[in-house]
Amino acid sequence: MSANDPAAAFLTEANELLDQVEQALLDLDFALDDRDLIDAVFRGLHTLKGSGAMFGFDQLAGFTHHCESAFDRVRKQLSPATRELVAVVLAAQDHMRRLLGDTSAETVAAGDAILERLRAAMETSGTCEPALPSSRGWQLTFRLPPEAMANGTNPLVLLDELRALGEAQVVALTDQVPPLGELVPTECHIGWSVELRGDIGRDAIEDVFIFVMDDMELTLEELGALPTEDPPGTDDEAPDRAPPASDPGSARGRPANDGGVPGKASDTVRVPAERLDLLMDRVGELVIVQSRLSQLAQAGAGAANQTLHAISEDIERLAGELRDTMMVLRMVPVATLFGRFRRLVHDLARDTGKTIELSTEGETTEVDKTVMERLADPLIHLIRNSCDHGLETPAERSAAGKPPAGQVRLSARQAGGEVIIEIRDDGRGIALERVRARAEAQGLLQPGQAASEHELLQLIFHPGFSTAQQVTSLSGRGVGMDVVKRTIESLRGTIDVASTPGLGSTISLRIPLTLAIIDGLLVRVGTARYVIPLSAVEECIELSTEEDQRSRGRSLITLRDQLVPFMRLRELFSSDINPDTHQKIVIISTGSDRVGLVVDQIIGSHQTVIKPMSPVHCDVAIFAGATILGDGNVALILDVAQLLSLGQQQEERLRAVA
């Protein structure tokens, strides 16, 4: 199925529609009488059903029809919206996703139970008194988005449908028509004011605009008791009329996009993600070739070489600009990630019987697409832990003097070349005494062994470690946090934990903005060259021959009154080349952990295009990837997290010997 396949386009749009329906349902769960949310759910289901039938997804269309009918009754105020109905339609929405890719008899049959729950929910919800139609009529004003006609919406058809409802008096609003020189013929800049008389229900008017409701402006007011005079400026003398203020009681008056006026359809282009990946690969190759050209230009001499050097500098500048532009294209806001967790928290609250409120902050923070995709699973596990282990039950919270509703807060912010994502809860916190007891029971700590709070908290990432007193369907087996840590470290990120008993815990993830191209420090060990991510480099110091001899067997240096362990990469890589006279120590750090790496030479900074390791070498933990240098040779990229772990183990051994 190609990207130009209409069915593929439908699948993409269907998933987006289902995302919108899910968000509206989650909002509706907290405001069951919100008509805007009810209409949004109905429109989403209605569009999904119609489009599904058009593209041959008959099973999806047939199943969606039942949910659409249920919400049609709610929309027409024949039945109330209930939390049970919201829960059932959320489950139905999951089933619709499955039907997009699997129409086997087993999958289709699984929908019968959901439909049975839907019927039960509608029967138990009772009925409402239907809203009486207005006996006098309505005054409405509407403006379509500029690209409405280009998208196939004919405003004259909408006006005809309004006229079919009753006696209509239409006034065109031309105050927003631009000067002739700036007028785009395909854009719609005219608004309309319509006085519609007769026994007409509000729903009948809204149905006219059902497929453009999200992008348009619409105000709707019931006509007064007394007959109104003809609106001024009708027919031939219709003056320009400023649009009336939005009805504060009607969300129809606000644009669907909080950013204000909706953008032109031509301002955005939907591009398949794999094309961006391919383009990123090409930019990476260009950066490598540019590096080779720069090296050639620096090696030559003479007038011809000066020209080559000038061309090399121009290409370097252009390649840098192209790389920066490409990096921006791959950035996506974390809102797309955070939005997934509303449903997760909703389901966790139901499963645990707790009241949980999720709040988010910094949703406009952007992260590379690849990083975002790999963050989803670790965050799901951390949120599940916070909800299941961290937050107390309403009774426990009341006894502790806390509000019954537990708080889980997701936040994101950028700091330099990193994004910091925090998961914070106001639950019971991590009991360090239980962590210690469990660690001693598992042999991770000796009884009475000294351990700092940081060291104790890091134990929760040990495989098989759990302080849960009982295993639930959600957590407690101790098989998740170690995976979370490995995933974060594979992203060249770090994870920190802070906890206060009785007040809650905060888990902070520090993630690089991108995994495609990084700034690296190129070093030489023996005859081989390696790249250290520059973001992890703290400083470089010289290791004299005397100090090298003095530190043999100890591998600790004193740096500003602190002992820092260091490793000789020559020994780690089993190099048999004699060391340089003046070796260097590159101090790398993540968080509060530091370790020194002894190298023969620091060559300089290097734009590093990260290439994956071959399947044969991918299990070598201390390398995060490889890159191609300007001379065509390959340099391995050191994995900072793994090296720090090795350094800590070495330090622990030295302390044990001491």
Side-chain angles (χ1 to χ4, degrees), residues 576-590:
D576 55 0
I577 305 296
N578 291 328
D580 282 15
T581 305
H582 301 288
Q583 298 180 88
K584 306 293 187 296
I585 300 179
V586 181
I587 306 296
I588 60 174
S589 66
T590 58

Side-chain angles (χ1 to χ4, degrees), residues 382-413:
L382 293 174
I383 292 171
R384 286 166 67 101
N385 263 11
S386 289
C387 294
D388 193 28
H389 290 319
L391 296 181
E392 310 94 332
T393 64
E396 291 171 335
R397 292 181 65 84
S398 298
K402 296 180 178 180
Q407 303 289 326
V408 175
R409 185 172 186 78
L410 285 176
S411 65
R413 68 179 190 279

Side-chain angles (χ1 to χ4, degrees), residues 297-321:
Q298 291 173 2
N305 192 71
Q306 289 182 354
T307 304
L308 178 62
H309 192 73
I311 294 173
S312 171
E313 288 181 344
D314 286 344
I315 292 180
E316 181 177 0
R317 175 178 55 79
L318 291 172
E321 292 174 357

Side-chain angles (χ1 to χ4, degrees), residues 188-518:
C188 179
H189 297 287
I190 302 175
W192 288 270
S193 173
V194 181
E195 184 180 292
L196 195 59
R197 292 183 177 274
D199 294 340
I200 306 166
R202 186 188 186 103
D203 293 339
I205 299 175
E206 292 181 343
D207 281 351
V208 173
F209 302 104
I210 188 167
F211 292 111
V212 289
M213 188 74 79
D214 286 340
D215 299 322
M216 67 178 294
E217 298 176 26
L218 172 66
T219 58
L220 197 56
E221 295 175 350
E222 193 172 356
L223 292 177
L226 296 176
T228 57
E229 299 179 355
D230 291 341
T234 58
D235 301 330
D236 296 339
E237 58 182 20
D240 291 350
R241 182 183 297 179
S246 299
D247 178 4
S250 169
R252 301 292 180 215
R254 69 169 183 254
N257 183 351
D258 291 342
V261 179
K264 299 177 182 178
S266 58
D267 288 345
T268 58
V269 177
R270 190 190 298 271
V271 178
E274 57 268 25
R275 293 189 184 177
L276 287 182
D277 293 339
L278 181 63
L279 185 56
M280 191 69 229
D281 286 343
R282 296 293 181 268
V283 172
E285 296 298 328
L286 178 62
V287 170
I288 292 171
V289 172
Q290 173 269 316
S291 178
R292 297 182 65 182
L293 180 62
S294 177
Q295 197 167 28
L296 284 174
Q298 291 173 2
N305 192 71
Q306 289 182 354
T307 304
L308 178 62
H309 192 73
I311 294 173
S312 171
E313 288 181 344
D314 286 344
I315 292 180
E316 181 177 0
R317 175 178 55 79
L318 291 172
E321 292 174 357
L322 181 59
R323 182 204 62 192
D324 294 342
T325 303
M326 188 61 228
M327 301 291 275
V328 171
L329 289 180
R330 290 171 58 91
M331 292 293 183
V332 290
V334 295
T336 58
L337 181 65
F338 284 1
R340 306 180 192 178
F341 303 132
R342 295 189 61 202
R343 174 68 185 280
L344 174 68
V345 171
H346 172 274
D347 292 348
L348 288 172
R350 179 196 60 201
D351 295 342
T352 60
K354 300 175 182 176
T355 304
I356 306 173
E357 294 179 355
L358 174 69
S359 58
T360 58
E361 181 182 352
E363 292 176 293
T364 57
T365 306
E366 294 185 326
V367 185
D368 186 279
K369 176 183 72 69
T370 305
V371 176
M372 186 80 75
E373 292 168 354
R374 295 173 62 182
L375 273 177
D377 287 343
L379 285 176
I380 286 174
H381 190 86
L382 293 174
I383 292 171
R384 286 166 67 101
N385 263 11
S386 289
C387 294
D388 193 28
H389 290 319
L391 296 181
E392 310 94 332
T393 64
E396 291 171 335
R397 292 181 65 84
S398 298
K402 296 180 178 180
Q407 303 289 326
V408 175
R409 185 172 186 78
L410 285 176
S411 65
R413 68 179 190 279
Q414 184 176 342
E418 294 180 322
V419 167
I420 302 173
I421 297 178
E422 289 185 347
I423 304 97
R424 178 176 302 171
D425 67 67
D426 67 343
R428 56 174 66 90
I430 299 174
L432 293 180
E433 66 280 6
R434 287 172 57 187
V435 172
R436 169 175 279 283
R438 187 68 177 171
E440 291 179 354
Q442 292 188 348
L444 301 176
L445 287 178
Q446 296 300 318
Q449 179 182 338
S452 66
E453 179 179 332
H454 172 73
E455 291 169 333
L456 288 174
L457 289 174
Q458 288 297 314
L459 288 173
I460 66 175
F461 298 108
H462 194 277
F465 190 91
S466 175
T467 59
Q469 295 177 331
Q470 61 181 6
V471 176
T472 69
S473 59
L474 299 176
S475 56
R477 298 182 186 277
V479 293
M481 296 299 280
D482 59 321
V483 178
V484 168
K485 187 176 184 182
R486 283 204 304 272
T487 304
I488 298 302
E489 289 178 348
S490 71
L491 293 170
R492 293 189 290 106
T494 59
I495 181 168
D496 293 319
V497 184
S499 183
T500 304
L503 296 180
S505 304
T506 301
I507 297 181
S508 305
L509 311 180
R510 303 178 74 92
I511 309 295
L513 284 174
T514 180
L515 300 178
I517 299 178
I518 62 169

Side-chain angles (χ1 to χ4, degrees), residues 119-162:
R119 278 190 288 272
M122 293 302 293
E123 288 173 2
T124 56
S125 64
T127 57
C128 298
E129 288 293 330
L132 295 174
S134 169
S135 59
R136 299 179 181 85
W138 300 85
Q139 179 70 45
L140 64 140
T141 303
F142 70 93
R143 288 182 184 276
L144 299 175
E147 68 276 11
M149 292 191 294
N151 290 339
T153 301
N154 186 347
L156 296 181
V157 173
L158 301 178
L159 291 172
D160 286 343
E161 291 184 20
L162 289 174

Side-chain angles (χ1 to χ4, degrees), residues 51-117:
S51 301
M54 183 185 303
F55 288 98
F57 291 79
D58 296 332
Q59 298 291 352
L60 171 69
F63 181 83
T64 307
H65 169 74
H66 298 282
C67 299
E68 179 206 14
S69 300
F71 259 86
D72 191 32
R73 286 186 59 80
V74 176
R75 185 176 68 103
K76 292 177 178 174
Q77 301 184 31
L78 300 175
S79 297
T82 63
R83 301 196 72 175
E84 176 59 21
L85 176 63
V86 170
V88 172
V89 179
L90 278 171
Q93 182 245 180
D94 293 338
H95 186 67
M96 293 171 199
R97 286 189 196 277
R98 287 191 290 274
L99 289 175
L100 287 173
D102 181 6
T103 55
S104 63
E106 184 179 352
T107 300
V108 173
D112 294 341
I114 298 174
L115 293 181
E116 187 60 36
R117 286 179 56 197

